[in-house]
């Protein structure tokens, strides 16, 4: 019911300016057992060196969520959008029929982030971009929805997928629960700290693939920052 993906087992690519770990098959990393989890296609753990980044490149038909863990990322795209997203905040790009974008670390320090790709429920549509701050105090001891494809999540950034991207912070000894519905898939990564999921330990940047149809209890062994995606 829980598939543990230890950080040391993830795909790895070091380009000098970019040190990347891949939870799922991506670029030159291929593992047929890790092609995705439900509609979740990519979960990259990126360290981007100061004054470097991804030059303009195209995407289409993908929901791309960036969760910044340390530092900040500056976004530019072919729609004319520009914005700086800093640690703890989230940006979302719906690639739709096609968009070009660049992501630069213009900070004097390394930026670390999770880049998550979710397959949309329908292809096409005009591309869009948005970003939002999410103060960590608001997710203390519980999951808060950061991005969502469900209309009832009015405070979240919209995505075009039957999915939610959620964040939580837990103090040592605190617990919370998450229900993964029947037929759905959840993927959980502690950005920092160490946790137990139903008694199994996960250290910082390990991945937990959670099967649908049950409730999971998540307890912090030490203070932890969590990111979870729940998708079809």
């Amino acid at each position: 019911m829980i598939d543990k993906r230890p950080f040391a087992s993830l795909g790895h690519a070091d380009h000098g300016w970019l040190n990347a770990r891949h939870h799922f098959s991506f670029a030159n990393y291929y593992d047929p057992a890790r092609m995705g989890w439900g509609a979740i296609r990519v979960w990259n753990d990126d360290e981007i060196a100061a004054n470097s980044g991804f030059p303009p490149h195209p995407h289409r038909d993908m929901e791309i969520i960036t969760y910044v863990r340390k530092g900040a990322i500056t976004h530019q795209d072919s729609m004319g959008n520009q914005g700086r997203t800093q640690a703890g905040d989230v940006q979302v790009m719906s690639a739709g029929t096609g968009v070009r974008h660049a992501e630069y670390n213009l900070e004097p320090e390394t930026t670390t982030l999770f880049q998550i790709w979710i397959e949309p429920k329908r292809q096409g549509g005009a591309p869009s971009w948005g970003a939002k701050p999410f103060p960590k105090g608001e997710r203390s001891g519980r999951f808060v929805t950061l991005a969502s494809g469900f209309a009832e999540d009015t405070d979240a950034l919209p995505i075009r997928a039957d999915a939610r991207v959620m964040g939580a912070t837990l103090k040592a000894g605190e617990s919370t629960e998450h229900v993964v519905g029947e037929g759905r898939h959840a993927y959980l990564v502690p950005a920092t700290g160490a946790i137990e999921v139903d008694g199994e330990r996960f250290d910082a940047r390990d991945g937990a693939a959670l099967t649908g149809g049950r409730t999971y209890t998540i307890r912090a062994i030490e203070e932890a920052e969590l990111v979870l995606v729940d998708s079809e």
Side-chain angles (χ1 to χ4, degrees), residues 66 73 114 139 146 190 202 210:
T66 304
I73 200 76
F114 291 143
R139 25 182 154 140
L146 310 175
F202 290 81
L210 309 179

Side-chain angles (χ1 to χ4, degrees), residues 66 68 74-75 127 130 141-142 168 216 228 231:
T66 304
V68 182
T74 298
H75 170 94
R142 65 190 182 99
Y216 294 87
L228 182 148
S231 78

Side-chain angles (χ1 to χ4, degrees), residues 20-175:
R21 298 279 179 170
H22 308 306
H23 285 261
F24 303 105
S25 295
F26 185 84
N28 292 329
Y29 167 60
Y30 174 73
D31 182 340
R34 295 184 180 179
M35 294 304 295
W37 187 243
I40 306 165
R41 180 61 189 85
V42 169
W43 191 309
N44 288 344
D45 183 328
D46 291 342
E47 300 175 358
I48 305 169
N51 300 304
S52 65
F54 299 92
H57 59 282
H59 289 286
R60 65 176 300 150
D61 292 321
M62 194 65 69
E63 304 300 293
I64 300 175
I65 300 98
T66 304
Y67 181 98
V68 182
R69 292 159 29 221
K70 186 182 78 170
I73 200 76
T74 298
H75 170 94
Q76 302 173 1
D77 65 41
S78 55
M79 298 175 285
N81 296 306
Q82 295 187 22
R84 177 178 176 273
T85 305
Q86 60 186 5
D89 298 341
V90 177
Q91 70 170 14
V92 167
M93 187 177 74
S94 294
T97 53
V99 63
R100 290 179 62 83
H101 76 125
E103 307 291 338
Y104 293 115
N105 174 17
L106 303 180
E107 313 303 313
E109 62 176 349
T110 298
T111 286
T112 63
L113 54 82
F114 291 143
Q115 184 186 140
I116 300 163
W117 296 11
I118 305 173
E119 296 175 357
K121 55 189 173 184
R122 289 185 299 275
Q123 294 189 341
S128 64
W129 175 84
K132 189 172 182 179
F134 287 95
K136 290 184 181 179
E138 295 180 3
R139 25 182 154 140
S140 178
R142 65 190 182 99
F143 280 107
V144 170
T145 302
L146 310 175
S148 173
F150 299 97
E152 61 264 31
D153 295 325
T154 55
D155 292 334
L157 287 164
I159 56 177
R160 302 170 189 172
D162 288 329
R164 288 183 173 94
V165 180
M166 311 175 80
T169 57
L170 297 179
K171 297 176 182 177
E174 276 191 322
S175 295

